[in-house]
Amino acid sequence: MSINSRLRLPLFLLYVVSASVFLAAQENDLYIVFLRDEASGERLLETHLSVLSSLKGSENDASESLVYSYTKIFNAFAAKLSQDEARKLSNMEEVVSILPNRYRKLHTTKSWEFVGLTPNSRRNSKVESNIIVGLLDTGITPDSDSFKDDGLGPPPAKWKGGCAANFSGCNNKLIGAKYFKLDKRPDPDDVLSPLDTDGHGTHTSSTLAGVPVPHANLDGLAQGTARGAVPLARVAMYKVCWASFGCSDADILAAFESAISDGVDVISISIGGITGSYTADSIAVGAFHAMRKGILTVASAGNDGPNHGSVANHAPWLLTVGASGMDRQFRSNIVLANGVTLSGVGISTFEPIQKLYPLASGMDTAKSSDTKEESRYCLENSMDPNKVKGKLVYCKLGSWGTDSVIKGLGGVGSLIESDAFLDAAQIFMAPATMVNSSAGKRINDYIHSTTTPSAIIHRSKEIKIPAPFVASFSSRGPNPGTKHLLKPDITAPGIDILASYTLLKSLTGLKGDTQYSKFTFMSGTSMSCPHVAGAAAYVKSFHPNWSPAAIRSAIMTTAKPMSSRVDKDAEFAYGAGQVNPTRAISPGLVYDMDDMSYVQFLCHEGYNGTGIGSLVGQGAINCSKLVPGNGEDAINYPSMQLALKNKQEPTVGVFKRKVVNVGTPQIVYNATIRAPAGVEIVVKPATLTFTKALQKRSFKVVVKAKPMSDQVLVLSGSLSWRSSHYTVRSPIAVYNPWAN
């Protein structure tokens, strides 16, 4: 789907930058150059200048070209180059790869209780206060109540980071705040500091690790105590996203390098938008180096659902998070003068002053016959102010900000028709609500059945709904990067999440909006990501020496299963299910891996040795000399995906796995299989016996799938290892590449 068409959707879901910004990014002359890992520390800067000097012809020209040297974790530099210079550099022996600097998009009172992590849940407070969570985002609001440091001691001794010189808001809770803007292009809508002028970074960081704030609400809605998963953990913010430009690869890599060397324990990144090779993607590269240092990176799956194959951040060393809904929704009653009551979705905090207001259709308010089609969508400059003033206006959803347009013309409010994304509540700056096409037809029919139509929109209220379910906007599989890996990995609450906000931006960010609040609702996988990052930090507080793979395994295998009867895209929508933090601290068994396991996987996927070497930070990897990865997918992943190989014959896949006993030392597990119709699943052996802690056991899973109808995309199965104390569940997805 094009950027322009995505911009027709609500901004609160997308956090996209404009098409012109992406166009500028394509013409940007900033490149990231990766070199062979033969130097370290201060010598790297000399090496970078030497490489550039050999290209430019002089040290002065090289110094002017060099924008940034990555010297702590990566052997790389960012430089201003022409396309011809970039091509010449790529042919140099010491250069492993060159990436153009691209710009990416940004993908509570109730949510933690909804997933079972209550204020009374078990905690390892001493270790939790030594956990440091790093976020790559839009910055942070230091004076938010969510980042008060009452009762917290000094930062952990391992902390090597700090705060930008022009930022005075750090304390014993917010221990790090840096910003990265390597292109040095001025942003008129932002400030060159870690300060958050957008609200996104403040929201995500308070969701992850905010201290409890009682009486949090938005104008009385969702009243309660707002808090993060790990309220004793420390927060480090790395600002890489800018109001007018988005989030650049060069800045993202610089922030990863800083976070890793500073000493964070978990990284949360709610950014995506570019799908490419795992060895040439800034988030994948940064997260790989974080993984090698024992740091798990949790990333949002993206907001391009329900399109299939839209999932982002799908590298195997990332924990990829989709968005699910909770058991509440914000709705407003609409009462027509004929006595009919309808219901709409949205957050409208305005109490009506009159009993009824005149009601008009946007199409009937057109300036002229030439603007009639545009006025159907209540687009700017399409309506006659005299026909709008003092009225409620019924519109089809055309672009974000309909309520702003109507208010600007003197209208009272708007009734907006849309069948897309009605599971998330848009915040309005004037009385408004969103209705489905069925309700929209009834409104339109009523308007044209009388000469004096009138109606009223009541203030929004919170109602109970069935949950969990996958958000309509949450990006879906299958994984566009590989047919062997199921993504997303898991889901977490990402709809109507109340968390801290900034007072530097109105609630909608629209012209004329005078609503400001310390807390607000946001929706998106940007909101679900910090929930799972918080769960990861929570698990790490109990198991500080576990690897990133072990923590990911614990979170995935203890997730609450979700139903394909509710979400037809099944595992392609929700992965292993909904996060369950309190169960994740005691998973029983874990699927563990090290960095070489991922190298074997990339070799199995057909990546060339040079590309893998670039990722690892050394010369070309000779895949033929490595022990090949075993089985269908060559990776010890907690989930399994089998893609059908032809349309006529059954497909057989053999998955080889190894688990580590992290639970009761002496214990027996038995395999429980759930296989869908047309699929056979056999586990050998069907019983795993452990006699001590940290003992390892291997097994294989044979999946045989018959050809599937072209109408079926995915079939759901599972393997659960059950004992008297634990259930360790792995989803098994059978994927039909030929599905319509």
Side-chain angles (χ1 to χ4, degrees), residues 149-172:
D149 64 353
D150 297 350
L152 283 174
K158 65 182 178 182
W159 177 242
K160 298 181 178 64
C163 293
N166 64 345
F167 187 81
S168 59
C170 285
N171 56 23
N172 287 331

Side-chain angles (χ1 to χ4, degrees), residues 373-411:
E373 184 60 29
E374 288 86 353
S375 67
R376 179 199 299 267
Y377 298 96
C378 298
L379 300 180
E380 276 195 281
N381 302 317
S382 68
M383 295 178 288
D384 183 342
N386 294 322
K387 298 177 182 178
V388 173
K389 187 175 181 180
K391 295 179 181 177
L392 295 174
V393 183
Y394 158 70
C395 319
K396 299 260 190 178
L397 177 63
S399 63
W400 165 247
T402 299
D403 53 329
S404 175
V405 173
I406 298 300
K407 184 178 179 181
L409 294 173

